[in-house]
Structure formats: structure tokens, C-alpha cells
Amino acid sequence: MNNNLSNIKKSKYFLDKHNCIGMPTETVYGLAANAYSSKAISKIFKLKKRPKNNPLIVHYSSLEMLKRDCILNENFTKLYNKFCPGPLTFILKLKKDSKISKFVTNKKKTLAVRFPSHPKAKGLLKILNYPLAAPSANISSRVSPVTRNHVKEEFGKKIKYIIEGGLSKIGLESTIINLTGKPEILRIGSIDINKLSKALKKKLLYRKKTYMKVPGQNRLHYSPGIPLRMNCKEASKDEAFILMKKRNNSNKNFFYLSKNKNLKEAARNLYSVLRMIKKKGYKKIAVEKIENKGIGLAINDRLQKASKKNK
Ligand code: TXA
Ligand code: MG
């Protein structure tokens, strides 16, 4: 049997039995389960130690299936046509007769939905007759996983199966846009906000305070578990130093996100580098200034959250 096919069949076997699996996506790896099964969804919350009031994103591969659960609108159609499948999550109104487990939404009347573009996620979603709820596959408040091994590090044998999908291409979580009223960005990701504005023919603003409307975007988030400071020119010897550009000297506390200030490359490497630093036993992190444009905005956003409070 073709390897891909057997991956997907195995995943279906576990998912049909209300279990969670690790699923690669182009943003980060997700901890996936049947969004219609309360039994499966409660396992996600337990494994992640996630507060019950923090709703999940549900992943689809077809509009037909989405239409059974959500009320679509014009803004959704404009963005869907331009950006899907891809790293964009929509908040939509939930239909009254939707089969989505009430644990997914914490009984809210809205649902976060996404169409991932990773071929393995797409292939899997296509053969299922239910959508997959999938938060990032990490213990709550910690750094998201971008490889299969990272997911193993988080949950070990507690999950039945993890699909191998290589390094996540983007490396940061999806952009979240609320479309239940006036469009509003709730979480910044890899997509340029100007491109979203253009597709909607409306200027979108990204205001940090809208984060407060997203239960999961509290400050204690994306935490590497040790103190982190930003915009540093130099670091002390006992600090891991995260760099964007090649330095002439070399030092064992140097960790490169990029050697030539490439922001996309830096985003892709960020979570792996944070994990590596933690593993090497560093107790503190200093980060060189990262340009606040394009995906740099999203990198700085995650670093700011990581630097706020550390467990
Ligand atoms: O890239 C991604 O979005 C990844 C991959 C696996 O798809 N998933 C992900 O899920 O980042 P998670 O659970 O780590 O983050 C989802 C965020 C949370 O902050 C949650 O509070 C917010 O989405 N959210 C979910 N449903 C919502 C809703 N109905 N209204 C507002 N925010 C919502
Ligand atoms: Mg997460």
C-alpha cells in the first residue's frame, strides 16, 4: 500500500474510535479529533490540560460539510476564494442544528473554522464524514509543535498516532478573522493584513486589544518556560541568544532563526529554536530585534506573549 494512503487509513481507524491523533498542517501540528463526538473532544481538553472555556478550531476540506454546521456570508466567500485552503481561520455563526459537539465551542454560538492546505491533512479530511477539531498539539500555554517529534515530546504514548508530515512550512499559527459582524482580526499570522483588506475591499485593523476577545489569547501563551527579552543588541554568556543575521564571531549560545534576516525562514524556525534552547538547559533567552513587518509582526506578537510571564 502506498505510504500516504496507509498513514491516512490508520488515522481514520483511530479517529473513528473517538481517539486523538497528531496531524501535520502548514502552520503547526494539531491534536485532532472528531468534532461531532463529545467523547473525542473531551480527550483533547484532557490531554492538553486546556481550560474548558477555550474553544477549538474545526478543520474542513469541503464547503458542503461546512454549510451543515455554519452560516456562511459574503465576506467569508471573498476570503475563501482567495486564501483557502491555507493559514486562515474564520469565526462564523454556528447553525442551530449543527452536529458540532458543545465542548468544541464551550456552548458559544460561533465556530472557528479552517481549511488546511497540508496535503496529508487535506487527504485525511477528505475520507472522513466528520470535520476535525484540532488545537495546536502542545500542552496548554506552551510552544506549538512544528514537527512530529515535537508532538511526541508533548504527549508521548498518550496519543495513539501521529502522522509524519515534515516540518510545518509556515511555523506560526493561522490568522484568525472574526466574520460574525464587522470583520476583525483576532490573531495575526502569516497572511499580510493588507491582502485581506484588499480581498474584502475594506480596511482591516489589527488592534492588540482585540486579543482579549479570544479566550485562548491570554498573556500566558507560547511560553518557552524561561524568561525571554526582546530587541537585544547583545546577550550575556548565560543567555541563549536568538539571532536574525550571521555574526562574524561564533559562540555556543548563538541560535539562528535566519542568517540573512529572512522573516519567513525565521518564522519557520522559531518554535524549533525555542524548544532546542530549553532542552540545552538555558535559563534565559535574549532575542535580537526582528523587523516588525510582514510575518515579522506575527513573530514579534508570539515573542511578546512568550516574554510576558514565564512559568
Ligand atoms: O494554525 C492553527 O490555527 C492551528 C492548526 C492546528 O490549525 N491551530 C491552533 O489552534 O492554533 P489553537 O486552539 O491553539 O488556537 C485557536 C485559537 C484559540 O486562541 C481560541 O481561543 C480561538 O482560536 N478560538 C476558537 N474558537 C473561537 C471562537 N468561536 N471565537 C473566538 N476565538 C476562538
Ligand atoms: Mg495553541
Side-chain angles (χ1 to χ4, degrees):
M1 198 190 310
N2 162 320
N3 223 357
N4 271 354
L5 208 66
S6 77
N7 276 184
I8 285 171
K9 284 206 169 150
K10 255 187 218 159
S11 307
K12 178 173 161 36
Y13 172 83
F14 290 118
L15 290 165
D16 283 350
K17 289 187 162 19
H18 310 272
N19 287 308
C20 301
I21 64 146
M23 172 174 78
T25 86
E26 70 281 16
T27 57
V28 300
Y29 275 63
L31 184 64
N34 178 351
Y36 293 156
S37 156
S38 292
K39 184 176 168 192
I41 297 306
S42 49
K43 287 183 186 170
I44 291 185
F45 281 91
K46 201 166 161 210
L47 279 164
K48 272 187 65 91
K49 304 194 177 92
R50 180 168 175 119
K52 295 208 165 54
N53 65 358
N54 188 0
L56 307 178
I57 299 178
V58 178
H59 298 65
Y60 290 84
S61 69
S62 86
L63 276 181
E64 283 60 48
M65 210 187 270
L66 176 68
K67 280 180 195 161
R68 290 188 221 154
D69 296 326
C70 290
I71 302 167
L72 310 191
N73 58 44
E74 228 179 277
N75 286 330
F76 167 81
T77 308
K78 284 180 191 159
L79 295 176
Y80 174 86
N81 288 337
K82 188 119 186 62
F83 298 98
C84 291
L88 183 58
T89 295
F90 309 95
I91 311 291
L92 296 172
K93 286 188 181 144
L94 194 60
K95 275 193 170 167
K96 281 211 180 80
D97 59 351
S98 142
K99 286 198 284 182
I100 295 288
S101 157
K102 62 181 188 303
F103 294 135
V104 167
T105 56
N106 186 36
K107 298 185 193 147
K108 273 161 82 82
K109 293 192 168 73
T110 59
L111 185 68
V113 303
R114 180 160 115 69
F115 291 77
S117 67
H118 191 294
K120 294 228 173 136
K122 268 197 330 203
L124 173 60
L125 286 162
K126 243 186 219 157
I127 62 158
L128 301 174
N129 53 9
Y130 45 82
L132 291 175
S136 52
N138 52 278
I139 308 287
S140 248
S141 94
R142 304 243 305 253
V143 168
S144 298
V146 291
T147 66
R148 180 173 187 271
N149 252 341
H150 293 165
V151 183
K152 260 196 199 162
E153 277 170 19
E154 294 289 314
F155 301 110
K157 294 214 168 84
K158 287 190 189 144
I159 58 177
K160 303 270 179 197
Y161 189 63
I162 311 167
I163 304 175
E164 174 56 79
L167 176 68
S168 292
K169 256 197 199 156
I170 294 172
L172 294 178
E173 303 78 1
S174 61
T175 304
I176 304 182
I177 185 164
N178 185 356
L179 296 178
T180 59
K182 195 167 161 249
E184 184 177 36
I185 303 281
L186 300 183
R187 178 172 74 183
I188 190 165
S190 61
I191 302 178
D192 187 333
I193 294 180
N194 292 328
K195 287 192 182 148
L196 292 169
S197 297
K198 216 169 145 194
L200 290 173
K201 300 199 172 77
K202 271 186 210 109
K203 179 90 187 140
L204 282 170
L205 292 177
Y206 165 57
R207 281 164 302 168
K208 284 199 179 134
K209 69 170 197 259
T210 56
Y211 266 121
M212 305 322 284
K213 296 184 187 167
V214 186
Q217 296 299 312
N218 55 25
R219 290 191 156 179
L220 215 172
H221 217 88
Y222 311 111
S223 168
I226 50 177
L228 177 149
R229 53 191 194 100
M230 296 170 69
N231 300 317
C232 303
K233 291 213 165 87
E234 293 303 327
S236 60
K237 270 195 204 137
D238 63 337
E239 279 179 312
F241 196 11
I242 297 186
L243 295 162
M244 284 296 288
K245 189 169 183 277
K246 180 92 184 84
R247 298 216 160 185
N248 292 331
N249 54 332
S250 69
N251 205 318
K252 69 174 179 5
N253 69 340
F254 287 2
F255 294 88
Y256 286 102
L257 291 185
S258 167
K259 295 205 166 159
N260 57 0
K261 292 193 174 180
N262 180 325
L263 290 168
K264 277 193 181 159
E265 185 191 11
R268 190 158 50 236
N269 288 330
L270 179 68
Y271 289 151
S272 304
V273 163
L274 288 175
R275 274 175 192 267
M276 192 195 295
I277 288 170
K278 183 80 194 299
K279 248 190 239 161
K280 293 207 169 184
Y282 283 92
K283 296 285 182 273
K284 287 190 258 175
I285 306 176
V287 189
E288 195 174 46
K289 188 176 169 71
I290 296 170
E291 215 181 343
N292 218 11
K293 67 164 207 202
I295 198 170
L297 283 163
I299 302 176
N300 282 325
D301 165 78
R302 306 304 191 268
L303 287 172
Q304 255 150 27
K305 294 211 172 63
S307 69
K308 280 281 160 19
K309 191 175 165 194
N310 295 282
K311 282 205 265 194

